[in-house]
Amino acid sequence: GDSVTQMEGPVTLSEEAFLTINCTYTATGYPSLFWYVQYPGEGLQLLLKATKADDKGSNKGFEATYRKETTSFHLEKGSVQVSDSAVYFCALSGPEYGNKLVFGAGTILRVKS
Amino acid sequence: DVKVTQSSRYLVKRTGEKVFLECVQDMDHENMFWYRQDPGLGLRLIYFSYDVKMKEKGDIPEGYSVSREKKERFSLILESASTNQTSMYLCASSSPSTSGTYEQYFGPGTRLTVT
């Protein structure tokens, strides 16, 4: 079935380091792709999205590009801050999924000062 | 901004009690969802609803029921709470965006402990 695979965490980085969190997907159609972030003790927030191949989503210094040829949507940030410590979820959705979200398992990011 | 609110942030109930978790959204979204989140298991869909009085089972509906009497409100009911229902419960809502995507907007979550 369709699925989303994320790199396992936790990912531990020092402040100002470069961040990559890998996300790959398997899908029969052409889904939209999302990154959600969950800060400690809170619900999920939409971080960024992309709706078609080669689209780049960006927000708060984070970026991800929809790569159809590699079925990937890796999250990147050039310089992380302690406040970026959270759990990051990659997800896909679309009409063929009844507009439900298919989530990855989540990746814990810890940023040390 | 879309706002999804949940009735409680923290809840402690006893085994066998009937538990109601309430979720309200203020953006006139058609779709609403209930998830539970457990360490190592990620997010799992319990129930969802595409319209008033409509409900669909998600991946783990056993032990739960839902009610959607009004468009803005979606309630999750634990008929007889058990300790294995101790979890974080997240509500979400969605409607098509201007780009046609169905991103979901989440509430802050209810951490339920069943003793």
Side-chain angles (χ1 to χ4, degrees):
Chain A
D2 296 353
S3 64
V4 176
T5 303
Q6 294 181 230
M7 64 188 289
E8 284 196 31
V11 174
T12 303
L13 295 173
S14 297
E15 212 164 15
E16 299 183 4
F18 185 86
L19 169 71
T20 300
I21 299 178
N22 290 337
C23 171
T24 56
Y25 67 91
T26 59
T28 51
Y30 299 94
S32 298
L33 301 175
F34 306 88
W35 277 102
Y36 281 83
V37 59
Q38 184 180 31
Y39 298 104
E42 297 183 13
L44 278 70
Q45 301 174 24
L46 178 64
L47 182 59
L48 53 84
K49 68 178 182 181
T51 59
K52 60 184 188 297
D54 300 325
D55 263 4
K56 178 186 279 189
S58 61
N59 186 26
K60 298 181 181 180
F62 291 90
E63 292 183 341
T65 301
Y66 191 142
R67 301 282 188 205
K68 186 165 173 287
E69 63 277 11
T70 54
T71 61
S72 66
F73 192 54
H74 304 321
L75 183 68
E76 297 181 336
K77 187 176 186 184
S79 175
V80 293
Q81 305 300 313
V82 172
S83 57
D84 294 326
S85 299
V87 184
Y88 292 82
F89 293 91
C90 185
L92 61 81
S93 185
E96 55 268 73
Y97 306 97
N99 298 309
K100 292 180 286 185
L101 282 168
V102 178
F103 282 100
T107 302
I108 297 171
L109 171 65
R110 297 183 180 134
V111 181
K112 303 181 298 184
S113 59
Chain B
D1 276 355
V2 176
K3 190 158 187 184
V4 180
T5 56
Q6 295 183 229
S7 49
S8 306
R9 292 299 301 271
Y10 300 94
L11 209 52
V12 180
K13 295 291 181 182
R14 294 197 178 274
T15 302
E17 279 193 81
K18 190 169 186 176
V19 181
F20 293 86
L21 302 182
E22 306 284 343
C23 175
V24 177
Q25 50 95 2
D26 66 358
M27 281 301 291
D28 202 36
H29 284 173
E30 292 102 8
N31 308 320
M32 296 189 76
F33 306 83
W34 274 106
Y35 297 88
R36 65 177 283 176
Q37 183 179 22
D38 301 287
L41 296 175
L43 284 135
R44 294 181 290 170
L45 182 64
I46 305 171
Y47 267 97
F48 58 102
S49 169
Y50 288 137
D51 203 349
V52 175
K53 297 195 185 296
M54 294 186 69
K55 60 184 179 184
E56 299 281 346
K57 292 180 180 179
D59 301 318
I60 52 162
E62 296 79 17
Y64 303 94
S65 62
V66 290
S67 172
R68 193 159 180 209
E69 296 295 319
K70 293 185 178 181
K71 192 174 186 180
E72 67 271 18
R73 188 180 296 271
F74 192 37
S75 302
L76 179 70
I77 303 154
L78 287 65
E79 296 289 343
S80 177
S82 64
T83 54
N84 64 10
Q85 292 178 310
T86 291
S87 186
M88 169 73 98
Y89 290 88
L90 292 164
C91 175
S93 70
S94 76
S95 264
S97 69
T98 51
S99 60
T101 56
Y102 278 79
E103 56 261 40
Q104 292 180 16
Y105 295 86
F106 284 80
T110 295
R111 187 165 293 283
L112 173 68
T113 303
V114 183
T115 61

